[in-house]
Amino acid sequence: MLKTKAYAAQNPKSKLAPFTIQRREPGARDVLIKILYCGVCHSDIHQARDEWGQASFPMVPGHEIVGKVIRTGSKVKRFRAGESVGVGCFVDSCRKCPSCQEGLEQYCESHISFTYNCTEQDQKTPTYGGYSSQITVDEKYVLKISNKLPLAKAAPLLCAGVTTYSPLKHFKVAKGQSVGVVGLGGLGHMAVKFAAAMGAEVTVFSTSPSKQKDARRLGARHFVNTKTLKDSAPLQDQFDLILDSVSAPHDINFYLNFLKREGTLVLVGAPEKPYALEPFSLIRKRRKMAGSLIGGIRETQEMLDFCARKKITAEVEVVPVQKVNEAYERTIKGDVHYRFVLDLQTIGS
Amino acid sequence: MLKTKAYAAQNPKSKLAPFTIQRREPGARDVLIKILYCGVCHSDIHQARDEWGQASFPMVPGHEIVGKVIRTGSKVKRFRAGESVGVGCFVDSCRKCPSCQEGLEQYCESHISFTYNCTEQDQKTPTYGGYSSQITVDEKYVLKISNKLPLAKAAPLLCAGVTTYSPLKHFKVAKGQSVGVVGLGGLGHMAVKFAAAMGAEVTVFSTSPSKQKDARRLGARHFVNTKTLKDSAPLQDQFDLILDSVSAPHDINFYLNFLKREGTLVLVGAPEKPYALEPFSLIRKRRKMAGSLIGGIRETQEMLDFCARKKITAEVEVVPVQKVNEAYERTIKGDVHYRFVLDLQTIGS
């Protein structure tokens, strides 16, 4: 086993603090990765504080991992030492169910091994995430990252990136369409970049007027301050797709009514309390509401290649891993533009 | 003008009673129809009692109309005196908006003239429905009914029929798919017949164990009594499409979790209170929830022709129009298999 420095939560109330974990020696098909950067996803905080239930401690969060290959197992063909790679929200899945077979491992019907707060395929060995110095992952679940992408800014692509890219592709966002993005945070700011790169006319809905300038810089054509909006009539029936990234409670019907006939609202954020859904918001215009969960390995690679081609990365604030607890507090307050990325190079080995 | 006998509600509290209305003399493109039968839709009751707001009195409900052509205007080409015809939920629409142009008049973006409790395109002349002896309708909004279809049993096809046929077609129900139908009432029983005729394996979800036998007779392969169901695990992730026809409050997440990955739950019933929608019911499997509103003229004709070919009609209890108030009470109690149809031949002229 490989002794590995990490930052862990020991229980839902504890701050994250240095902790030592063991990584497996790379097997024939494994890649051992030196972790350089790891993004701070809001779900890291929810899980470290056991706000979603089923948290398992000690917990090493982090599923927006980028780094360099240290060494590879004897049968690994796709990776070589020194290459830039990424690891996202999961490090394995059953590989046999229809979803895995179709490359939609995120919907694995048997057991998906999330990158942390979960178990390997043996359903016993705990998984530990990217707030650590290194990680061993089967090559099938490792992503290639183009040298064109600056690594720190690429880290959030592994979760925030693919979580927004996947539904935009799945629901066929295309040139000339009107796309709304609700919330301009870690997910929302990536959605704006992707939808704009796909040729859509993007409108940002936000409660923070201070983000108006940013919204335009990121590629949005329009900005709606929903706190001060007086007349929503001109927005009714205007959008082909609305991606809702907000996980605070809000009125979903307000946005559904902005969809054209047959338009789709996609949820990627999940408030703790259920939405109050008025059936006529859907019925009146044959509208749809859908959910989408991260993305599969094939699509994550496609997204990373798209980003390299289109020069898309996340907007990040890089902080040393030692500042993770401060980053958590600021993330909760929404005081981040738009993603914290932990620098793991200072953790030691 | 043509003096016409009808049954009307004079206010939200009054029973329906005989009333005389005026129909227009058929213009060049109009068809004058002797009404033989009219179905009793639950929405007739909601509107007559002003439970949805915006009710306009006196009100002559009824939008499941079948009858025979009495005479036609000089420019009418598609219909001749004596032919069997139908009129559904609307008698006109703007004809110019994209939805009208696409044959989806039910989603008219300007002004749709619902068959009753609404106005003609002048937005002044009130419309009166099918609880009456005759009606004058522009030929574009009149449906042909095959002689193969018994007229009384065909009446409910004009609303209950197309309301369920349309989403099954739109969401591409096909041979071999698993389709769930929630609620076995006026809409639900038509959904079972259509989905079975399209080759799907149909499961009925109902709180009335007494309907189990009927469900099978109508074409369902399985019946789930949701009141006594103890273990819902075998139903999880099993359905391609679930059509929810229930307008009483119920837990929508219970059914969403029965959908396969990318499955769709379609609402055609609308409870008065909003649904409590758990976002993860959609997110976990990239599921969709949609609404659907009746159907356009072209699709209504397609549905009627499908019914003639497949020998599909509604299950009805025919009562003289004089018993309409009794039919309302029994409909509210769910004491009908599965639709009341008023016989208008006894109304006089």
Side-chain angles (χ1 to χ4, degrees):
Chain A
M1 301 297 276
L2 305 167
K3 238 189 182 181
T4 299
K5 288 201 176 173
Y7 265 69
Q10 296 296 334
N11 64 61
K13 302 280 173 202
S14 71
K15 295 206 164 192
L16 273 73
F19 182 66
T20 300
I21 56 171
Q22 302 291 333
R23 298 292 191 187
R24 69 176 181 268
E25 282 285 354
R29 300 191 189 281
D30 283 338
V31 177
L32 177 64
I33 302 162
K34 176 176 170 58
I35 299 176
L36 298 175
Y37 299 101
C38 185
V40 173
C41 177
H42 211 123
S43 64
D44 295 352
I45 306 174
H46 285 303
Q47 291 179 82
R49 299 186 175 185
D50 198 12
E51 291 166 353
W52 287 352
Q54 302 185 302
S56 154
F57 295 94
M59 189 189 301
V60 177
H63 58 206
E64 295 183 337
I65 300 169
V66 293
K68 299 271 187 190
V69 175
I70 298 172
R71 63 175 191 272
T72 61
S74 59
K75 293 194 172 162
V76 169
K77 289 194 181 133
R78 294 176 52 240
F79 298 97
R80 275 192 291 188
E83 280 184 322
S84 297
V85 292
V87 176
C89 295
F90 51 92
V91 290
D92 212 338
S93 65
C94 86
R95 310 183 189 199
K96 287 171 203 146
C97 73
S99 292
C100 284
Q101 293 279 326
E102 289 172 53
L104 296 166
E105 302 90 350
Q106 75 270 38
Y107 302 113
C108 175
E109 290 146 45
S110 174
H111 176 61
I112 185 165
S113 296
F114 287 113
T115 302
Y116 67 88
N117 191 26
C118 194
T119 58
E120 297 283 0
Q121 287 300 296
D122 62 7
Q123 300 198 31
K124 280 183 222 157
T125 314
T127 55
Y128 295 118
Y131 300 1
S132 58
S133 64
Q134 56 186 4
I135 188 168
T136 308
V137 181
D138 185 291
E139 68 164 332
K140 271 189 199 286
Y141 297 82
V142 178
L143 289 308
K144 282 178 183 288
I145 296 184
S146 161
N147 286 328
K148 289 183 191 158
L149 292 173
L151 281 187
K153 291 178 167 216
L157 299 177
L158 278 302
C159 169
V162 73
T163 298
T164 51
Y165 178 89
S166 179
L168 295 173
K169 288 295 277 191
H170 183 71
F171 293 104
K172 300 192 166 49
V173 165
K175 206 172 148 76
Q177 289 191 349
S178 286
V179 169
V181 174
V182 185
L184 196 64
L187 292 173
H189 93 287
M190 289 309 310
V192 171
K193 290 189 178 202
F194 286 134
M198 291 171 188
E201 182 171 333
V202 180
T203 299
V204 167
F205 296 94
S206 169
T207 53
S208 312
S210 64
K211 289 183 178 168
Q212 176 151 9
K213 230 188 214 170
D214 267 9
R216 289 185 195 265
R217 183 175 56 79
L218 299 170
R221 199 89 74 82
H222 315 281
F223 182 90
V224 176
N225 179 340
T226 51
K227 254 193 190 155
T228 57
L229 181 69
K230 278 188 187 132
D231 180 13
S232 68
L235 294 164
Q236 305 285 317
D237 310 333
Q238 296 304 309
F239 292 86
D240 295 282
L241 183 133
I242 294 176
L243 188 143
D244 187 339
S245 73
V246 172
S247 54
H250 58 289
D251 178 9
I252 201 74
N253 307 288
F254 177 76
Y255 295 107
L256 285 171
N257 287 319
F258 295 167
L259 291 172
K260 292 181 187 173
R261 200 189 74 216
E262 283 119 39
T264 305
L265 183 143
V266 189
L267 302 172
V268 292
E272 281 164 51
K273 283 194 184 171
Y275 293 106
L277 172 71
E278 300 281 358
F280 272 106
S281 304
L282 296 174
I283 292 174
R284 272 198 316 109
K285 293 272 171 187
R286 195 154 66 183
R287 295 171 177 129
K288 293 186 288 289
M289 196 167 164
S292 183
L293 181 71
I294 43 180
I297 292 294
R298 192 195 302 143
E299 195 168 44
T300 306
Q301 190 62 62
E302 178 190 307
M303 178 271 310
L304 288 165
D305 297 346
F306 179 85
C307 287
R309 227 162 44 240
K310 300 271 189 180
K311 298 192 171 56
I312 293 174
T313 52
E315 312 279 303
V316 306
E317 291 188 46
V318 181
V319 295
V321 64
Q322 291 78 4
K323 295 216 167 173
V324 60
N325 294 301
E326 203 178 310
Y328 272 24
E329 291 309 322
R330 286 185 52 203
T331 299
I332 289 165
K333 279 189 267 177
D335 174 24
V336 50
H337 292 77
Y338 282 88
R339 201 67 145 183
F340 280 111
V341 169
L342 305 176
D343 183 343
L344 274 310
Q345 296 167 93
T346 57
I347 201 175
S349 57
Chain B
M1 299 298 276
L2 303 168
K3 238 189 181 179
T4 299
K5 287 201 177 174
Y7 264 69
Q10 296 297 333
N11 63 62
K13 302 279 173 204
S14 72
K15 296 207 163 191
L16 274 73
F19 182 65
T20 300
I21 56 171
Q22 302 291 333
R23 297 292 192 187
R24 68 177 182 269
E25 282 285 355
R29 299 192 190 279
D30 282 339
V31 177
L32 177 64
I33 301 161
K34 177 176 170 58
I35 299 175
L36 298 176
Y37 300 100
C38 185
V40 173
C41 177
H42 211 122
S43 64
D44 296 352
I45 305 174
H46 285 304
Q47 292 180 81
R49 299 184 175 187
D50 198 12
E51 290 166 354
W52 287 352
Q54 303 187 300
S56 154
F57 295 93
M59 188 190 300
V60 178
H63 58 205
E64 294 184 338
I65 301 168
V66 293
K68 298 272 187 187
V69 176
I70 298 172
R71 63 177 191 270
T72 61
S74 59
K75 293 193 172 162
V76 170
K77 288 193 183 133
R78 294 176 51 239
F79 297 98
R80 275 192 290 189
E83 281 184 321
S84 297
V85 292
V87 176
C89 296
F90 51 92
V91 289
D92 213 339
S93 65
C94 86
R95 309 183 188 199
K96 287 170 202 147
C97 73
S99 292
C100 283
Q101 294 277 327
E102 289 173 52
L104 296 166
E105 302 89 351
Q106 74 272 36
Y107 301 113
C108 175
E109 290 147 44
S110 173
H111 175 61
I112 185 166
S113 297
F114 287 113
T115 302
Y116 68 88
N117 191 27
C118 195
T119 58
E120 297 283 359
Q121 287 299 296
D122 62 8
Q123 299 198 33
K124 279 182 222 157
T125 314
T127 55
Y128 295 118
Y131 300 0
S132 58
S133 63
Q134 57 187 2
I135 188 168
T136 308
V137 181
D138 185 292
E139 68 165 331
K140 271 188 198 288
Y141 296 82
V142 177
L143 289 308
K144 283 179 183 288
I145 296 184
S146 160
N147 287 328
K148 288 183 194 159
L149 292 174
L151 282 185
K153 292 179 165 213
L157 299 176
L158 278 303
C159 169
V162 73
T163 297
T164 51
Y165 178 89
S166 179
L168 295 174
K169 288 295 276 191
H170 182 70
F171 293 102
K172 300 191 167 49
V173 165
K175 206 172 148 75
Q177 289 191 349
S178 286
V179 169
V181 174
V182 185
L184 196 65
L187 293 173
H189 94 287
M190 290 308 310
V192 171
K193 290 189 177 201
F194 286 135
M198 291 171 188
E201 182 171 332
V202 180
T203 299
V204 167
F205 297 93
S206 168
T207 53
S208 312
S210 63
K211 288 181 177 169
Q212 176 152 9
K213 229 187 216 171
D214 267 9
R216 290 186 193 264
R217 183 175 55 81
L218 299 170
R221 199 88 74 82
H222 315 282
F223 181 91
V224 176
N225 180 341
T226 52
K227 254 192 191 156
T228 56
L229 181 68
K230 278 187 189 132
D231 180 13
S232 67
L235 295 163
Q236 304 286 317
D237 311 332
Q238 297 302 310
F239 292 87
D240 296 282
L241 183 133
I242 294 176
L243 188 143
D244 187 339
S245 74
V246 171
S247 54
H250 58 288
D251 177 10
I252 202 74
N253 307 288
F254 177 76
Y255 296 107
L256 285 171
N257 287 320
F258 295 167
L259 291 171
K260 291 181 188 175
R261 199 189 74 216
E262 283 119 39
T264 305
L265 184 143
V266 189
L267 302 173
V268 294
E272 281 165 50
K273 284 195 183 169
Y275 292 106
L277 172 71
E278 300 282 358
F280 272 106
S281 304
L282 296 175
I283 292 174
R284 272 197 317 110
K285 292 273 171 186
R286 194 155 66 183
R287 295 172 178 129
K288 294 186 288 289
M289 196 167 163
S292 182
L293 182 70
I294 43 180
I297 292 295
R298 191 195 303 144
E299 196 169 44
T300 307
Q301 190 62 63
E302 178 191 306
M303 177 272 309
L304 287 165
D305 297 345
F306 180 85
C307 287
R309 226 161 45 238
K310 300 271 189 180
K311 299 194 169 57
I312 292 174
T313 52
E315 312 280 302
V316 305
E317 291 187 46
V318 181
V319 295
V321 64
Q322 291 77 4
K323 295 217 165 170
V324 61
N325 294 301
E326 203 179 308
Y328 272 25
E329 291 310 322
R330 286 184 51 202
T331 298
I332 290 164
K333 278 188 269 177
D335 173 23
V336 51
H337 291 76
Y338 282 88
R339 201 67 146 181
F340 281 111
V341 168
L342 304 176
D343 183 342
L344 274 309
Q345 296 168 94
T346 56
I347 200 175
S349 58

